[in-house]
Each structure stands twice: as structure tokens, then as C-alpha cells.
């Protein structure tokens, strides 16, 4: 039942057999596999831990439990089991790769680097290892070496969307946004491309000041995930650029309801401002400023809001510290002129 993918039937079947034959490790292991199949990782891990207590050298059990620990986010525990398995002479490149990824996640980058390079000695076309070495060297700011490995990864697997995505992110990190976009565009038409990759491509278009291109992507994926706050947030950015403030307000209200954040609050406040809803805008700006009390941008936004409400004394309270630091600040002086004319 378990091998055929009938996991729930398998759980019922092997639970009965395990009760009848409690010393039969095979029934116990099959039950663990069925629990894993329905993503009940807690039940699966408990069975495997118990089995491993009596079979300390069982590599198969160690690797299965390590995989479950990894999916549970118990990376240090997974790392110990992978290390034990490899110390027993187990040299499967895919398992070694899983171990290397865990090492990278736990900041053991020297060990991760060693493992990735050992994998490439075993298989010179193992593209994920090239990609992860690129990520590792980029994190060390060794950008020339990182680019070399990203290029090797792309050569080994030119259509792998995950490798293309990490390569595009690398160029984005270098502020080479045009090159990043060329790589992002290679993954946009792939039907298997996850939503988060498409969002990254759209955000890069916004950096390139190409909101129409960004909008094309965001509108499509918004139809697929209409409550995704990151999609709504970035599409609202486009609407604000287009001066569609009512549309931006609606998107941001939904985004803020789903996932309230300081960044969303600040952009929603701007949409409220442009729609003349100054009290609502000011309330959100005040909330956002709790997390960033020294933010020049927020001080200016609150000064602008109070100026529009004709509360000039309050506006000057927000404006003064900005002008003290930056007397020639263009936006601050523009608000100051409006205050003077209003008074």
C-alpha cells in the first residue's frame, strides 16, 4: 500500500501489523514511510528514532531521519546524521548534496564548500553544486568566483529554473539589473516557474523603471494568487506610479489585512494621502514610525500630511529635524514653502 502511494491505507495496515508483531522492524519502518507520505513528519520521526536506537549503524534509517529533520527545520540534528552516514563510507552524490545544503544553512560554509567540490569531482556536470558554490562565494563577496560558478551551472543545466533564478539574483545583488532581467526573463514563460520567482522578475522591472513590464507580470500572477500580499504590494506600487491611487488603496488594504507590515502601512498611508484620507494616512505613518523613529522619509511624509491638513505647527515639528540635518533638502524645503504660504 505504501509503495503504491496509498498512504492512509498503509498507516492503518501497518499500525495493525506493528501491534501484532511489535518486534518486526520492517513493519515499523513501513509505517514510518507511510506517515512520511502524508507529511506527518512528527509521527514518522518518532518511529525512526526508536528504530535507530536499536540499529545504530543503519545508514538507511539515518538518512531517512536526516531528511525528515531537514524538512522539520531541525538542521543541526540532520547534519549529525548525514555526517554519521558519510563517515560509514556512504558516498551517494545526491545524499552528499543534501548534507552540503544543510551545512550551508547552518553557516558551516567551509564544510559545505568542501562537499560541493567533492560532488563535482564525482560528477563534473552536477549543476546544483555549481549553483550553490556560486551562492556561497557571493555571500563571501567573492563575486568573480561566484560568477564563474553560476556560468558553469548554467552550462550544465541551461533550462533549470532554480539555477537561472539564483543567477538572476546574483546579478541583482551586483546592481547589474539589466543582466539580471535578461536571466529572469528566461524563466517567466516556463509553466513550472513558482510565483515567488515571477515576483522577483517584476520587482527587478520596477528597479529598471519599467512599470508596464512589471504590471504585465503582476496582473497575471495576481489572477492566480489574488490574496498574495507581496503581489498586491508591488502591483500597488505600479498603480501609484500610474497615479491610480484608488486602485492602489484597494490593493494595499487587502495586503495589509492579510499580512500587516510596516512597509505596507507606509505605502497604504501614501495611497490614503493621495485620496485625501489624511487622518487614516497620519495614523499609519505614526505606526510605521514606531519601528523607524529616525526615518527621514517618514518625517517628511508626516510633515506633508499635516501640511495638507493645515496643521502647520505639527508639520514644522516633523520638518525641523530634517532641515537641521539637511538644510538644502529639496522636498523638505518644498514642504516648508507650502507651510509659509498657508500660514
Amino acid at each position: 500500500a505504501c509503495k503504491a502511494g496509498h498512504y492512509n491505507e498503509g498507516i492503518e495496515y501497518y499500525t495493525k501489523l506493528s501491534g501484532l508483531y511489535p518486534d518486526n522492524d520492517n513493519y515499523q519502518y513501513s509505517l514510518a514511510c507511510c506517515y512520511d507520505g502524508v507529511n506527518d513528519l512528527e509521527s514518522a520521526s518518532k518511529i525512526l528514532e526508536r528504530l535507530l536506537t536499536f540499529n545504530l549503524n543503519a545508514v538507511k534509517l539515518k538518512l531517512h531521519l536526516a531528511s525528515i529533520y531537514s524538512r522539520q527545520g531541525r538542521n543541526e540534528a540532520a547534519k549529525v546524521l548525514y555526517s554519521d552516514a558519510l563517515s560509514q563510507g556512504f558516498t551517494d552524490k545526491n545524499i552528499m548534496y543534501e548534507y552540503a545544503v544543510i551545512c550551508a544553512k547552518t553557516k558551516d560554509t567551509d564544510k559545505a564548500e568542501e562537499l560541493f567540490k567533492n560532488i563535482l569531482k564525482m560528477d563534473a556536470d552536477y549543476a546544483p553544486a555549481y549553483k550553490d558554490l556560486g551562492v556561497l562565494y557571493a555571500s563571501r563577496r567573492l563575486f568573480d568566483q561566484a560568477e564563474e560558478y553560476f556560468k558553469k551551472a548554467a552550462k550544465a543545466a541551461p533550462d533549470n529554473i532554480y539555477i537561472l533564478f539564483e543567477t538572476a539574483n546574483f546579478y541583482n545583488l551586483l546592481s547589474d539589473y539589466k543582466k539580471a532581467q535578461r536571466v529572469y526573463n528566461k524563466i517567466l514563460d516556463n509553466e513550472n516557474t513558482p510565483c515567488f520567482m515571477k515576483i522577483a522578475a517584476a520587482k527587478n522591472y520596477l528597479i529598471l523603471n519599467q512599470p508596464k513590464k512589471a504590471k504585465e507580470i503582476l496582473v497575471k500572477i495576481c489572477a492566480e494568487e489574488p490574496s498574495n500580499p507581496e503581489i498586491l504590494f508591488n502591483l500597488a506600487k505600479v498603480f501609484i506610479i500610474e497615479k491610480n491611487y484608488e486602485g492602489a488603496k484597494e490593493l494595499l488594504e487587502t495586503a495589509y489585512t492579510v499580512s500587516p507590515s510596516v512597509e505596507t502601512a507606509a505605502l497604504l498611508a501614501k495611497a490614503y494621502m493621495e485620496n485625501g484620507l489624511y487622518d487614516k494616512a497620519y495614523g499609519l505613518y505614526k505606526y510605521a514610525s514606531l519601528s523607524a523613529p529616525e526615518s527621514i522619509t517618514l518625517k517628511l511624509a508626516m510633515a506633508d500630511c499635516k501640511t495638507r491638513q493645515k496643521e502647520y505647527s505639527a508639520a514644522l515639528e516633523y520638518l525641523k529635524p530634517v532641515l537641521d540635518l539637511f538644510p538644502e533638502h529639496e522636498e523638505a524645503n518644498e514642504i516648508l514653502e507650502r507651510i509659509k504660504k498657508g500660514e
Side-chain angles (χ1 to χ4, degrees):
C2 190
K3 289 183 179 178
H6 303 149
Y7 298 117
N8 288 314
E9 292 175 24
I11 289 170
E12 184 179 350
Y13 177 71
Y14 287 115
T15 298
K16 289 179 181 178
L17 286 177
S18 296
L20 291 170
Y21 306 100
D23 295 328
N24 189 306
D25 290 353
N26 289 329
Y27 293 151
Q28 293 281 332
Y29 182 71
S30 295
L31 179 58
C33 289
C34 288
Y35 277 127
D36 190 359
V38 296
N39 205 36
D40 185 350
L41 301 183
E42 188 64 27
S43 296
S45 65
K46 285 180 179 178
I47 294 171
L48 293 172
E49 286 166 353
R50 186 167 61 250
L51 290 173
L52 196 55
T53 302
F54 302 105
N55 300 274
L56 294 176
N57 294 318
V59 172
K60 179 180 179 181
L61 293 177
K62 289 180 181 179
L63 293 175
H64 194 162
L65 186 55
S67 172
I68 289 176
Y69 281 163
S70 175
R71 282 175 278 156
Q72 290 178 311
R74 299 166 64 183
N75 292 326
E76 290 293 347
K79 187 174 163 184
V80 170
L81 290 173
Y82 280 125
S83 179
D84 285 350
L86 292 179
S87 71
Q88 292 176 239
F90 194 81
T91 56
D92 180 274
K93 63 188 178 185
N94 295 316
I95 298 299
M96 193 178 292
Y97 177 74
E98 291 176 17
Y99 178 32
V101 170
I102 290 291
C103 288
K105 286 181 179 178
T106 56
K107 309 300 181 186
D108 189 355
T109 55
D110 289 342
K111 185 64 178 179
E113 180 182 8
E114 175 191 330
L115 289 164
F116 287 135
K117 289 184 175 179
N118 285 339
I119 293 166
L120 292 171
K121 288 177 183 176
M122 298 165 64
D123 180 358
D125 293 321
Y126 200 92
Y130 285 121
K131 179 261 293 179
D132 285 312
L133 279 168
V135 172
L136 190 153
Y137 285 127
S139 71
R140 295 175 178 172
R141 306 192 70 77
L142 299 172
F143 297 128
D144 289 342
Q145 288 172 263
E147 185 171 26
E148 177 187 345
Y149 278 104
F150 280 121
K151 286 179 177 178
K152 288 180 178 180
K155 183 177 180 182
D159 298 320
N160 185 302
I161 57 174
Y162 293 93
I163 287 170
L164 290 170
F165 180 67
E166 291 291 358
T167 304
N169 289 345
F170 168 69
Y171 288 123
N172 183 283
L173 175 68
L174 296 184
S175 301
D176 192 341
Y177 301 116
K178 289 183 178 179
K179 188 174 285 188
Q181 198 64 56
R182 287 197 292 271
V183 183
Y184 281 130
N185 288 347
K186 292 179 181 180
I187 64 177
L188 284 175
D189 294 328
N190 190 311
E191 61 182 16
N192 297 316
T193 299
C195 184
F196 71 88
M197 295 187 183
K198 295 177 182 179
I199 293 172
K203 289 167 72 173
N204 197 73
Y205 267 132
L206 285 173
I207 294 171
L208 288 169
N209 198 27
Q210 296 186 46
K212 288 184 179 179
K213 292 284 189 180
K215 186 177 181 180
E216 287 177 16
I217 298 169
L218 292 166
V219 167
K220 285 181 182 177
I221 57 177
C222 193
E224 299 168 13
E225 297 189 23
S227 298
N228 184 311
E230 191 173 9
I231 297 172
L232 296 171
F233 179 82
N234 285 286
L235 187 53
K237 279 186 171 181
V238 175
F239 281 6
I240 286 173
I241 292 169
E242 295 176 340
K243 301 188 185 308
N244 178 3
Y245 300 118
E246 180 61 32
K249 177 176 77 70
E250 291 176 6
L251 292 174
L252 289 164
E253 284 176 337
T254 302
Y256 192 68
T257 300
V258 173
S259 179
S261 70
V262 171
E263 190 178 26
T264 304
L267 196 62
L268 177 55
K270 178 174 177 59
Y272 281 149
M273 284 270 286
E274 299 301 339
N275 281 287
L277 301 170
Y278 301 126
D279 286 338
K280 284 187 173 183
Y282 180 70
L284 284 174
Y285 280 135
K286 282 287 285 183
Y287 164 71
S289 70
L290 294 176
S291 297
E294 302 305 319
S295 168
I296 299 298
T297 300
L298 289 173
K299 287 183 189 298
L300 288 171
M302 287 187 285
D304 184 21
C305 186
K306 287 301 177 185
T307 301
R308 296 190 194 197
Q309 290 179 295
K310 300 185 177 6
E311 296 181 22
Y312 301 120
S313 296
L316 284 169
E317 285 183 26
Y318 292 116
L319 202 58
K320 186 177 183 302
V322 179
L323 289 169
D324 286 346
L325 285 171
F326 307 103
E328 305 301 320
H329 194 288
E330 184 177 349
E331 185 180 353
N333 279 287
E334 184 271 326
I335 294 171
L336 182 61
E337 285 301 312
R338 285 162 46 205
I339 291 171
K340 289 176 179 177
K341 287 178 182 178
E343 290 178 333

